[in-house]
Amino acid sequence: MFITAHTFISNLTQQSVITHEWLITAETTGDFLVQIKDNGEDLLFNSRTNDASQEILFQYARSCFEDQFAISTSAVVGTADHTEFSFTHDNIPYYGSIGTIYKENGTLEITLVSPATTLEQQIFRQRIIFLIIDLAAAFLLSVFAYYFTGKLLKPIAQSREDQIQFIAAASHELRTPLAIILSCASAAKKADSEEKSGFLDTIHFEGMRMSRLIGDMLLLSKTDNHTFHINKIECNPDTILLNSFESFETLAKEKSIKLRVILPDESAKYCFLDYERIQQVLSILIHNALSYTSCNGHVTLSMEVQDDFISYSVADDGIGIPDEEKKHIFKRFYRVDHSRNEKEHFGLGLSIAYEIIQAHQGSILVSDTPGGGSTFTVKLPLNWSRL
C-alpha cells in the first residue's frame, strides 16, 4: 500500500492533465479507493464504489490523519508530500495515505484508502509463491546434489570394487603355487636324493612363477598410483617388431605354428618410444596368440607407419574371442577361456599391455581375424622427436 501510494502521488505530480480513464486505471490496478480534492472541492471523478458510505470512510480517514499528524505547511510549487498510516473503521482495519500536491493554481489533496485484508491477502499470496519457489529450489538442489554426488562417487566406488576383486584374485593366484611349494618342501624332507631333486625343481618353478606374478602386480600397482613412467629413447619401429618375431620364432616352431612378419615396403625412420615397454606389449600379444592357436595355425605380425602414428598388429587364426567377452579382456585376472588353467597365464598380460599403451597415450583394440581368430592392434602416436 505504501509503495502504491507513493507511486500514485509521484505520477500524479508529474501530470499537467488528469484524465478520468487514468484515475480509474490507477484505482483498479492499485486496488484502493481514491478521493481527490482540488482546492477543497471534489474533483469530478467517479470511483468504483462512489457512495455515501465511501464518503464517510474518507472523512474518517482524514480525521484519523489529522489526529495523529501535524498538517504540513510546505507550499513549494511542484512538490508533494504524503503520509501513510493505519486505522480501523467499523471494526475493519484499513491502510490510508494522505497526500498534498502543490501547484501554481492551488493544491490537490489526495486520500487513498485500502482494506488491510487486501494487502494481507497479497502478502499471503506472495508468501505462498515464495514458499513454492523455495520448495522447488530445494527439490532441484537435492536432485542435483544426489545426481552429481552419485556421479562423483561412482568412480571411487568402482575403484574400491576393482581393488577388492584384484586382491581376491591375487590371493587366489598366489595360494596355488604357495601350496605346491609348501607341499614339496614337506615331502622333500622324507624323500631320497633322486626324489628330492624333483621336488626342488618344482619348488624352483613355482617360485619363479610367483616372482613373475608379483612383478606383474607391482607394475599394475604403479599404474594405479600414477608412479609408472615410460623411458622414451630413439629407436627404429622395424627393429622392435623384428626382435619380437625372433624371440618367439623357436617357440612357434615347437608348437608347429607358422609365425611370419610383414613390414612396410619403406623402412620407417627413427622415433622416440619406450623400446622395452613396447616390446613387452608385443611379447604379451604374441605369447597369447601362440597359446590360443592350434597346431599348424598361423600368427602374423605386421606394422603400418603414417605421418602421425604407428600401429602394430598381431593376428592369429585360433579360437577367437566372443563379442561379449571383448569388452572384458583387458580387465585384471580375466581369462576368456575359463576352462583353461595354464600356469603361464595369470590373466594380467593384457591388463599390463593396456596400461603401457595408455602411458604412451595410444590405444589397443581387438577385432576378429577374417576367417576366424583374433587380431590385436596397437596404435601409438608417433613422436619423431623427444618430448
Side-chain angles (χ1 to χ4, degrees), residues 181-250:
I181 289 173
L182 293 176
S183 176
C184 289
S186 177
K189 294 179 181 180
K190 304 176 183 180
D192 55 31
S193 58
E194 184 177 349
E195 291 178 337
K196 184 178 295 186
S197 176
F199 288 134
L200 291 177
D201 289 340
T202 301
I203 291 173
H204 180 266
F205 176 82
E206 295 296 335
M208 294 300 296
R209 180 169 177 257
M210 288 183 65
S211 177
R212 289 194 301 273
L213 175 57
I214 292 172
D216 291 345
M217 291 170 59
L218 288 175
L219 189 150
L220 291 173
S221 177
K222 289 181 179 180
T223 63
D224 292 338
N225 296 328
H226 306 288
T227 58
F228 176 73
H229 300 289
I230 56 175
N231 180 31
K232 291 183 179 181
I233 60 174
E234 188 177 27
C235 57
N236 189 318
D238 294 353
T239 303
I240 298 176
L241 189 63
L242 287 173
N243 287 345
S244 299
F245 168 77
E246 292 174 358
S247 298
F248 286 91
E249 194 172 14
T250 301

Side-chain angles (χ1 to χ4, degrees), residues 248-309:
F248 286 91
E249 194 172 14
T250 301
L251 179 61
K253 289 180 179 179
E254 292 176 356
K255 290 177 172 286
S256 300
I257 296 175
K258 179 67 174 180
L259 180 65
R260 60 178 179 173
V261 61
I262 301 175
L263 295 173
D265 294 335
E266 295 183 4
S267 178
K269 58 184 178 179
Y270 282 82
C271 62
F272 285 92
L273 295 170
D274 190 324
Y275 180 91
E276 292 184 359
R277 292 302 185 187
I278 297 302
Q279 193 164 35
Q280 182 181 3
V281 170
L282 292 176
S283 296
I284 291 170
L285 298 180
I286 297 171
H287 191 273
N288 280 353
L290 294 175
S291 298
Y292 292 97
T293 300
S294 59
C295 181
N296 298 321
H298 299 80
V299 174
T300 303
L301 315 182
S302 61
M303 183 184 75
E304 180 182 358
V305 180
Q306 294 188 0
D307 292 337
D308 55 351
F309 71 88

